[in-house]
Amino acid sequence: MTTTSTYDVHTVRAAFPILQRTVHGGKPLVYLDHAATAQKPQAVLDAIGHYYRTTNSNVHRGAHALSAEATAAFEDARAVIAGYVGAARNEEIVFTSGTTDGLNLLAATVLTSAQPGDEILLTEMEHHANIVPWQMVAQQRGLAIRVVPVRDDGTISVDDVASLLTERTKVFACAHVSNVLGTINPIAEWSALCQANGTRCIVDGAQAIQHCSVDVQALGCDAYVFSAHKLFGPTGFGVLWARYDFLDALPPYRGGGAMIDRVTFSGTTFNAIPMRFEAGTPHIEGAIGTAAAIRWLQEIDTTERIAHEDDLLRHTTAAMTAMDGLTILGTASHKVGIISFVVDGIHASDIGTLLDNMGIAIRAGHHCTQPLHQRFGIDASARASFALTSTREEADMFVEGLAKAIRMLR
Amino acid sequence: MSPSAAINQLADDFALFSDWEDKYAYIIDLGKHLRPYPEQYRTDEFKVRGCQSQVWLHPHVEGNTVHFDADSDAVIVRGLIALLMRVYDGATAKEILDTPTDFVRTLGLADHLSQNRANGLAAMLKQIHLYALAVQSRLESASS
């Protein structure tokens, strides 16, 4: 804890019932897998419970009291989310099932007028969810995929981005924050390059949304997608923000109820945005729970919580750097509290299994970033990831547990 | 030793461990001493798909018994492979099919088995049973 901060991690932490539990026969849970999913504060659990106890009804349809209330809560959630990311209009917010769904929607709709030989630019640090949908559309339309390399420290050179943007680059799809390296990419700089080049800049915000203060106007990108479950909200719900004119020009993605204007067997006309992209009954409590998560998070000072996570990152990194045979993947000066690492001669899954038995939850594997792991010449890595609820005590337990696991495995 | 005798022996061994650390130290030690895997079988054909670590399994028949070579890049998985081989390696196909797979749970490894669904061990158990099933049905059709 820094002495100048008024940030009280124990108060913040007390809002999370799950963090009070034990695992493996009474060991306190040390949850350091926040990059996979964040835990949920009581306010989110209450909002979802309250919705089902008092309001449950289908939205945008019924002419009755419950439906009107559910619709109001649902659209209020859209406004809260729009405000949180700095959208110019509520209509710029499309509800999805998550980051993956948002990226698939964009990949399927943004390139409908692309010509064979046109290019999609990705980075080497992308999650499979920001690679595979683009590969699918590239294959269908004969487009080329180009990749911006990652440097040894886990950063990307802006010159490399500039030199790989050609007159044929229609889309640059990139992560705001790497789920392995923790690197915070300079999206505003990249967006400016894209804009000057006539390229759409589409940002995977899955990892950034929990840690960074996201303002889509300042970032200057064309679209930004994220999952609610990484923002202390429910699973199965996500957000796609896109600039109004850009979004409004996109064709429908999935067909069904709610996304139509008028349907006849000779043809259908489509609803306005965002409804055009929200076919079917939506994840109503997902939207309501996400709005509750944002309201809860807004009660906490952003600068202080980011400083707290940064302190944990630096404290833990320093301790791990001193460990023999351990290499941290991603040492950018500008990164979030995600520490991926490998240990000479030891498989990441063995480290994960032993730490799990000590009550410490981390992740081992390729973290859905096989190309990035190939770039570093490895199959798998172990990853510890902090959140605003993580404590110095937990960081120390992790470091001690890791040292013990390495001793047992050597 | 028959599979059921091997399971009883393992149960006796595991009863000596008072905590998870001793149990894991034993499994890790078994993993470090697993017999070498024949390199010619370290191919995709013999790979058991898993998320966290890689597992290779090469089953074959010698005379009337079934034998296994197996390996993993994770030492704990190698140790669990060594346990499976104590039970199954050198057994007849019928003995394998008659041996329920729940012994892994009764040994107190249940916590790990749920993870092993991800890292390929459960898949390996299934492969062993499928292989034994194929061998047994071939034997039965040859004798009928």
Side-chain angles (χ1 to χ4, degrees), chain A residues 24 27 347 349-350 353-354 356-358 364 366 379-380 404 408-410, chain B residues 20-21 24-25 28 32 51-54 73-77 111-112 115:
Chain A
H24 291 303
K27 289 170 191 147
H347 197 279
S349 85
D350 289 332
T353 301
L354 294 185
D356 178 44
N357 277 279
M358 302 177 209
H366 54 63
D379 291 325
K404 181 176 183 168
M408 287 179 72
L409 291 161
R410 278 224 168 104
Chain B
W20 74 271
E21 284 180 45
Y24 268 96
I28 290 166
K32 285 178 177 167
C51 183
Q52 286 203 345
S53 65
Q54 305 186 80
D73 51 356
V75 73
I76 292 172
V77 178
D111 285 352
H112 323 304
Q115 286 177 19

Side-chain angles (χ1 to χ4, degrees), chain A residues 91-314:
Chain A
E91 293 88 342
E92 294 178 342
I93 299 293
V94 175
F95 291 159
T96 66
S97 71
T99 306
T100 299
D101 189 34
L103 291 169
N104 274 279
L105 188 162
L106 289 166
T109 55
V110 171
L111 291 160
T112 44
S113 59
Q115 299 301 309
D118 282 348
E119 294 168 4
I120 298 163
L121 187 59
L122 306 174
T123 84
E124 207 171 17
M125 66 171 75
E126 295 314 310
H127 187 284
H128 296 164
N130 202 21
I131 299 174
V132 181
W134 302 109
Q135 282 177 329
M136 288 163 65
V137 68
Q139 206 159 27
Q140 285 161 12
R141 297 181 175 274
L143 313 178
I145 292 199
R146 308 190 76 182
V147 182
V148 191
V150 168
R151 296 183 289 198
D152 288 347
D153 67 351
T155 62
I156 284 173
S157 154
V158 71
D159 293 339
D160 285 343
V161 175
S163 68
L164 281 160
L165 283 170
T166 73
E167 59 185 11
R168 304 213 64 173
T169 314
K170 298 298 167 198
V171 163
F172 179 31
C174 53
H176 189 179
V177 167
S178 160
N179 70 317
V180 174
L181 306 164
T183 313
I184 304 172
N185 288 316
I187 298 298
E189 258 181 276
W190 293 0
S191 292
L193 289 174
C194 286
Q195 199 174 19
N197 197 59
T199 298
R200 292 296 184 186
C201 183
I202 290 170
V203 181
D204 168 358
Q207 290 298 329
I209 198 71
Q210 183 187 128
H211 304 284
C212 304
S213 179
V214 171
D215 175 358
V216 293
Q217 306 306 332
L219 292 174
C221 51
D222 294 292
Y224 194 97
V225 296
F226 61 90
S227 302
H229 73 92
K230 288 192 165 83
L231 185 63
F232 312 102
T235 47
F237 183 77
V239 173
L240 182 164
W241 166 85
R243 215 166 275 295
Y244 188 91
D245 293 342
F246 172 46
L247 185 64
D248 193 39
L250 297 179
Y253 172 48
R254 277 196 290 255
M259 55 80 71
I260 52 90
D261 170 37
R262 183 175 160 78
V263 176
T264 67
F265 279 109
S266 59
T268 294
T269 55
F270 300 107
N271 205 335
I273 59 170
M275 300 297 290
R276 188 192 305 157
F277 298 106
E278 296 179 0
T281 293
H283 189 351
I284 303 166
E285 83 279 20
I288 290 168
T290 302
I294 289 171
R295 286 189 169 111
W296 172 81
L297 195 57
Q298 284 174 326
E299 295 290 310
I300 297 163
D301 186 282
T302 307
T303 311
E304 287 187 358
R305 74 170 163 86
I306 291 174
H308 171 73
E309 290 183 47
D310 200 50
D311 170 68
L312 292 171
L313 170 68
R314 291 184 198 286

